[in-house]
Amino acid sequence: MTLDSILTEGRTEYGAPVTSKKRLLEYIAAGIAADNTEFDADELFNELLARERLGSTGLGHGVAIPHCRSSRCTQITGMLLKLEQAIDFEAVDDEPVDLIFALIVPAEAHDEHLKVLGALATAFNEADYRSKLRSAENTEALFKRAIAS
C-alpha cells in the first residue's frame, strides 16, 4: 500500500479549522462526502463516531487515525488534515492532536483494513515523518510530504 493510492490532494488540508473531536469527525465526514458522492456525510459521521466510542484512535505524539468501515465504500479512502490548533482527542499519551489521517474502508475489507492501519501507525510513529508534515507550509506541501515516504 502506498499513501498516494488512498489519498489525494483534494482530501488533504493544511490548517483545518476544527476545535473539538466531534467537530473534527463531522469535518472529515463532510470532506470525504463532498469529494466522493458514494458517501453520505451524516452516515459517515455516525460510523466514525461509533468507532471512536469503542476507544480513542489517538495514537500519541499529536496523531490520530480515526477510521471506520462503510458499506458505501468501494475502495480504501484516506483524508489527511493538519489542524490549525491541536485539539484534545483522548490520545493514549493525553497530548493534543494536530495531525489526523482519517481512513474509510469497505465493510468487507477486514484484513486490508488492519494492514493499512498498521502501515499508517508505523509511518506516524516516525518522528521525522511527523516533523516533515508539521513543517509543511500549505496543503500542497503537506500532501507531497505525506506521499513521499
Side-chain angles (χ1 to χ4, degrees), residues 27-50:
Y27 196 84
I28 290 166
I32 289 176
D35 183 65
N36 189 331
T37 58
E38 72 185 14
F39 293 106
D40 174 80
D42 292 334
E43 186 177 298
L44 190 53
F45 167 71
N46 287 326
E47 291 167 337
L48 287 165
L49 187 60

Side-chain angles (χ1 to χ4, degrees), residues 7-18 24 27 79-86 98-101 130-146:
L7 182 67
T8 65
E9 191 171 340
R11 290 191 311 271
T12 303
E13 185 175 345
Y14 174 87
V18 297
L24 173 66
Y27 196 84
M79 181 175 194
L80 174 63
L81 302 171
K82 166 66 176 89
L83 303 183
E84 199 172 82
Q85 291 190 342
D98 67 333
L99 288 174
I100 313 293
F101 196 100
R130 294 190 310 269
S131 179
K132 285 178 187 175
L133 295 180
R134 287 188 172 114
S135 66
E137 55 283 340
N138 57 42
T139 296
E140 180 183 5
L142 180 62
F143 174 71
K144 287 181 179 178
R145 291 173 188 192

Side-chain angles (χ1 to χ4, degrees), residues 25-99:
L25 297 177
E26 289 172 337
Y27 196 84
I28 290 166
I32 289 176
D35 183 65
N36 189 331
T37 58
E38 72 185 14
F39 293 106
D40 174 80
D42 292 334
E43 186 177 298
L44 190 53
F45 167 71
N46 287 326
E47 291 167 337
L48 287 165
L49 187 60
R51 167 54 193 91
E52 206 59 41
R53 286 183 176 146
L54 296 175
S56 177
T57 55
L59 299 181
H61 306 290
V63 176
I65 305 177
H67 59 277
C68 66
R69 289 190 215 127
S70 172
S71 61
R72 291 182 183 249
C73 186
T74 57
Q75 64 182 16
I76 296 177
T77 303
M79 181 175 194
L80 174 63
L81 302 171
K82 166 66 176 89
L83 303 183
E84 199 172 82
Q85 291 190 342
I87 60 170
D88 178 40
F89 208 84
E90 302 164 10
V92 295
D93 62 0
D94 290 322
E95 293 295 318
V97 166
D98 67 333
L99 288 174

